Coordinates of all heavy atoms in Angstrom, one line a residue:
V1 N 50.1 31.8 34.1 CA 50.6 33.1 33.8 C 52.1 33.2 33.9 O 52.7 32.7 34.8 CB 50.0 34.2 34.8 CG1 50.6 35.6 34.5 CG2 48.6 34.2 34.7
H2 N 52.8 33.6 32.8 CA 54.3 33.6 32.8 C 54.7 34.6 31.8 O 54.0 35.0 30.8 CB 54.7 32.2 32.3 CG 56.2 32.0 32.6 ND1 57.2 32.3 31.7 CD2 56.8 31.5 33.8 CE1 58.4 31.9 32.3 NE2 58.2 31.4 33.5
D3 N 55.9 35.2 31.9 CA 56.4 36.3 31.1 C 56.7 35.7 29.6 O 56.7 36.5 28.7 CB 57.7 36.9 31.6 CG 57.4 37.6 32.9 OD1 56.2 38.1 33.1 OD2 58.3 37.8 33.7
Q4 N 57.0 34.4 29.5 CA 57.3 33.9 28.2 C 56.1 33.9 27.3 O 55.0 33.5 27.7 CB 57.8 32.5 28.3 CG 58.0 31.7 27.1 CD 58.4 30.3 27.3 OE1 59.0 29.9 28.4 NE2 58.0 29.4 26.4
P5 N 56.1 34.4 26.1 CA 55.1 34.5 25.1 C 54.7 33.1 24.7 O 55.5 32.2 24.7 CB 55.6 35.3 23.9 CG 56.8 36.0 24.4 CD 57.3 35.2 25.5
G6 N 53.4 32.9 24.3 CA 53.0 31.6 23.8 C 52.8 30.5 24.9 O 52.7 29.4 24.5
V7 N 52.6 31.0 26.1 CA 52.3 29.9 27.2 C 51.0 29.2 27.0 O 51.0 28.0 26.9 CB 52.4 30.6 28.6 CG1 51.9 29.6 29.6 CG2 53.8 31.0 28.8
T8 N 49.9 30.0 26.7 CA 48.6 29.3 26.4 C 48.5 29.0 24.9 O 48.9 29.8 24.0 CB 47.4 30.3 26.8 OG1 47.6 30.7 28.2 CG2 46.1 29.7 26.5
R9 N 48.2 27.7 24.6 CA 48.1 27.3 23.2 C 46.7 26.9 22.8 O 46.1 27.3 21.9 CB 49.1 26.1 22.9 CG 50.6 26.7 23.0 CD 51.6 25.6 23.0 NE 52.9 26.1 22.9 CZ 54.0 25.4 23.1 NH1 53.9 24.0 23.2 NH2 55.2 25.8 23.0
D10 N 46.2 25.9 23.6 CA 44.8 25.4 23.4 C 43.8 26.5 24.0 O 44.2 27.4 24.7 CB 44.6 24.1 24.1 CG 45.6 23.1 23.6 OD1 45.4 22.6 22.5 OD2 46.6 22.7 24.3
R11 N 42.6 26.2 23.8 CA 41.6 27.0 24.4 C 41.1 26.3 25.7 O 40.9 25.1 25.8 CB 40.4 27.3 23.6 CG 39.5 26.1 23.1 CD 38.5 26.6 22.0 NE 37.5 25.6 21.8 CZ 37.5 24.5 21.1 NH1 38.6 24.2 20.4 NH2 36.5 23.8 20.9
T12 N 41.1 27.1 26.8 CA 40.9 26.5 28.2 C 39.7 27.2 28.8 O 39.5 28.4 28.6 CB 42.1 26.7 29.2 OG1 42.4 28.0 29.3 CG2 43.3 26.0 28.5
Y13 N 38.9 26.5 29.6 CA 37.7 26.9 30.1 C 37.6 27.1 31.6 O 38.2 26.2 32.3 CB 36.4 26.1 29.7 CG 36.1 26.1 28.2 CD1 37.0 25.4 27.3 CD2 35.1 26.8 27.6 CE1 36.8 25.4 25.9 CE2 34.9 26.8 26.2 CZ 35.7 26.0 25.4 OH 35.4 26.0 24.1
Q14 N 37.0 28.1 32.2 CA 36.8 28.2 33.6 C 35.3 28.9 33.8 O 34.9 29.6 32.9 CB 37.8 29.0 34.2 CG 39.2 28.4 34.3 CD 40.1 29.3 35.2 OE1 39.9 29.5 36.4 NE2 41.2 29.9 34.6
D15 N 34.9 28.7 34.9 CA 33.6 29.4 35.3 C 33.9 30.8 35.8 O 34.7 31.0 36.6 CB 32.9 28.6 36.4 CG 32.3 27.3 35.8 OD1 32.1 27.2 34.6 OD2 31.9 26.4 36.6
G16 N 33.1 31.7 35.2 CA 33.1 33.1 35.7 C 31.8 33.5 36.4 O 30.8 32.9 36.1
F17 N 31.9 34.5 37.2 CA 30.7 34.9 38.0 C 30.7 36.4 38.0 O 31.7 37.1 38.3 CB 30.8 34.4 39.5 CG 31.2 32.9 39.5 CD1 32.5 32.5 39.7 CD2 30.2 31.9 39.6 CE1 32.9 31.2 39.7 CE2 30.5 30.6 39.7 CZ 31.9 30.2 39.7
W18 N 29.6 36.9 37.9 CA 29.3 38.4 38.1 C 27.8 38.7 38.3 O 27.0 38.3 37.5 CB 29.9 39.2 36.8 CG 29.8 40.7 37.2 CD1 29.0 41.7 36.6 CD2 30.7 41.5 38.1 NE1 29.3 42.9 37.0 CE2 30.3 42.8 38.0 CE3 31.6 41.0 39.0 CZ2 30.8 43.8 38.8 CZ3 32.2 42.0 39.8 CH2 31.8 43.4 39.7
G19 N 27.6 39.4 39.3 CA 26.2 39.7 39.8 C 25.5 38.4 40.0 O 25.9 37.6 40.8
D20 N 24.4 38.2 39.3 CA 23.6 36.9 39.4 C 23.9 36.0 38.2 O 23.2 35.1 38.0 CB 22.1 37.2 39.5 CG 21.6 38.0 38.3 OD1 22.4 38.4 37.4 OD2 20.4 38.2 38.2
R21 N 24.9 36.3 37.5 CA 25.2 35.5 36.3 C 26.4 34.6 36.4 O 27.5 35.0 37.0 CB 25.4 36.4 35.0 CG 24.2 37.2 34.6 CD 22.9 36.4 34.4 NE 23.1 35.3 33.4 CZ 22.9 35.4 32.1 NH1 22.4 36.6 31.7 NH2 23.1 34.4 31.3
T22 N 26.3 33.4 35.8 CA 27.5 32.5 35.7 C 27.7 32.2 34.2 O 26.8 32.0 33.5 CB 27.1 31.2 36.4 OG1 26.8 31.4 37.9 CG2 28.3 30.2 36.4
F23 N 29.0 32.1 33.8 CA 29.3 32.0 32.4 C 30.6 31.3 32.3 O 31.3 31.1 33.3 CB 29.3 33.3 31.7 CG 30.0 34.4 32.4 CD1 31.4 34.5 32.2 CD2 29.4 35.2 33.3 CE1 32.1 35.5 32.9 CE2 30.1 36.2 34.0 CZ 31.5 36.3 33.7
K24 N 30.9 30.8 31.2 CA 32.2 30.2 30.9 C 33.1 31.2 30.2 O 32.7 31.9 29.4 CB 32.0 29.0 29.8 CG 31.4 27.8 30.4 CD 32.4 27.1 31.4 CE 31.7 25.7 31.9 NZ 32.5 25.1 32.9
V25 N 34.3 31.3 30.8 CA 35.4 32.2 30.2 C 36.4 31.2 29.5 O 36.9 30.3 30.1 CB 36.1 33.0 31.3 CG1 37.2 33.8 30.6 CG2 35.0 33.9 32.0
V26 N 36.6 31.5 28.2 CA 37.5 30.6 27.4 C 38.8 31.5 27.1 O 38.7 32.5 26.5 CB 36.9 30.0 26.2 CG1 36.2 31.1 25.4 CG2 37.9 29.3 25.3
D27 N 39.9 31.0 27.6 CA 41.2 31.7 27.3 C 41.8 31.0 26.1 O 41.7 29.8 25.9 CB 42.1 31.4 28.6 CG 43.4 32.2 28.5 OD1 43.4 33.2 27.6 OD2 44.3 31.9 29.2
T28 N 42.3 31.8 25.2 CA 43.0 31.4 23.9 C 44.4 31.8 23.9 O 44.9 32.7 24.6 CB 42.2 31.9 22.8 OG1 42.3 33.4 22.7 CG2 40.7 31.6 22.8
G29 N 45.2 31.2 23.0 CA 46.5 31.5 22.8 C 46.7 32.8 22.1 O 45.8 33.4 21.5
G30 N 48.0 33.4 22.2 CA 48.3 34.7 21.6 C 48.2 34.6 20.1 O 48.8 33.8 19.5
L31 N 47.4 35.5 19.5 CA 47.2 35.5 18.1 C 48.3 36.2 17.3 O 48.6 37.4 17.7 CB 45.9 36.1 17.7 CG 44.6 35.3 18.1 CD1 43.3 36.2 17.9 CD2 44.5 34.0 17.2
V32 N 48.9 35.6 16.3 CA 49.9 36.2 15.4 C 49.5 35.9 14.0 O 49.3 34.7 13.7 CB 51.3 35.7 15.7 CG1 52.3 36.3 14.8 CG2 51.7 36.0 17.2
F33 N 49.4 36.9 13.2 CA 48.9 36.6 11.8 C 50.0 36.8 10.7 O 49.7 36.3 9.6 CB 47.8 37.6 11.4 CG 46.4 37.2 12.1 CD1 46.1 37.8 13.3 CD2 45.6 36.3 11.5 CE1 44.9 37.4 13.9 CE2 44.4 36.0 12.2 CZ 44.1 36.5 13.3
D34 N 51.2 37.2 11.1 CA 52.2 37.4 10.1 C 53.3 36.4 10.2 O 54.4 36.5 9.8 CB 52.8 38.8 10.2 CG 53.4 39.1 11.6 OD1 53.3 38.2 12.4 OD2 54.1 40.2 11.7
D35 N 53.0 35.2 10.8 CA 54.0 34.2 11.1 C 53.3 32.9 11.2 O 52.3 32.7 11.9 CB 54.7 34.5 12.4 CG 55.9 33.6 12.7 OD1 56.0 32.6 11.9 OD2 56.6 33.8 13.6
D36 N 53.8 31.8 10.4 CA 53.1 30.5 10.5 C 54.1 29.5 11.1 O 54.0 28.3 10.7 CB 52.8 30.1 9.0 CG 51.5 30.8 8.6 OD1 50.7 31.3 9.4 OD2 51.3 30.9 7.3
S37 N 54.9 29.9 12.0 CA 55.9 29.0 12.6 C 55.2 28.2 13.6 O 54.0 28.2 13.7 CB 57.1 29.8 13.2 OG 56.6 30.8 14.1
E38 N 55.9 27.4 14.4 CA 55.4 26.4 15.3 C 54.2 26.8 16.1 O 54.2 27.7 16.8 CB 56.5 25.9 16.2 CG 56.2 24.9 17.2 CD 57.5 24.5 18.0 OE1 58.3 23.8 17.4 OE2 57.6 24.9 19.1
F39 N 53.0 26.0 16.0 CA 51.8 26.1 16.7 C 50.9 27.4 16.3 O 49.8 27.4 16.7 CB 52.1 26.1 18.2 CG 52.7 25.0 18.7 CD1 53.9 24.9 19.4 CD2 52.2 23.6 18.6 CE1 54.5 23.8 19.8 CE2 52.7 22.5 19.0 CZ 53.9 22.6 19.7
L40 N 51.5 28.4 15.7 CA 50.7 29.6 15.5 C 49.5 29.3 14.6 O 48.4 29.9 15.0 CB 51.6 30.7 14.9 CG 52.7 31.2 15.8 CD1 53.6 32.2 15.2 CD2 52.1 31.8 17.1
P41 N 49.6 28.6 13.5 CA 48.3 28.3 12.8 C 47.2 27.5 13.6 O 46.0 27.9 13.6 CB 48.7 27.5 11.6 CG 50.2 27.8 11.5 CD 50.7 28.0 12.8
E42 N 47.7 26.6 14.5 CA 46.8 25.8 15.3 C 46.1 26.8 16.4 O 45.0 26.6 16.8 CB 47.6 24.6 16.0 CG 48.0 23.6 15.1 CD 49.2 23.8 14.4 OE1 49.8 25.0 14.5 OE2 49.8 23.0 13.7
I43 N 46.9 27.7 17.0 CA 46.4 28.6 17.9 C 45.4 29.6 17.3 O 44.3 29.7 17.9 CB 47.6 29.5 18.5 CG1 48.4 28.7 19.4 CG2 47.0 30.7 19.3 CD1 49.7 29.3 19.9
R44 N 45.6 29.9 16.0 CA 44.5 30.7 15.4 C 43.3 29.9 15.2 O 42.1 30.4 15.4 CB 45.0 31.3 14.0 CG 46.1 32.3 14.2 CD 46.3 33.0 12.9 NE 46.9 32.2 11.8 CZ 48.2 32.1 11.6 NH1 49.1 32.7 12.3 NH2 48.6 31.3 10.5
E45 N 43.4 28.6 14.9 CA 42.2 27.7 14.7 C 41.5 27.6 16.0 O 40.2 27.7 16.0 CB 42.7 26.4 14.2 CG 41.6 25.4 14.0 CD 42.0 23.9 13.6 OE1 43.3 23.8 13.5 OE2 41.2 23.1 13.5

């Protein structure tokens, strides 16, 4: 977690828990659709 935009780029996985359920939470990079500069197309993919 950081104030700088674009810190998360790849998708990253952690285990989440709620009630009696366990699941995977996948974090993704910030989506931008009006710009194809560095890493943004890969982040969308």
Side-chain angles (χ1 to χ4, degrees):
V1 178
H2 198 269
D3 291 338
Q4 176 183 327
V7 170
T8 303
R9 290 171 176 171
D10 303 283
R11 62 191 198 275
T12 63
Y13 294 76
Q14 293 188 60
D15 288 342
F17 314 90
W18 186 248
D20 60 351
R21 297 304 306 269
T22 303
F23 46 89
K24 289 286 183 184
V25 179
V26 52
D27 189 14
T28 63
L31 290 169
V32 178
F33 285 94
D34 59 355
D35 187 350
D36 285 336
S37 58
E38 182 178 284
F39 298 122
L40 293 177
E42 291 85 356
I43 289 172
R44 292 197 292 268
E45 179 186 1

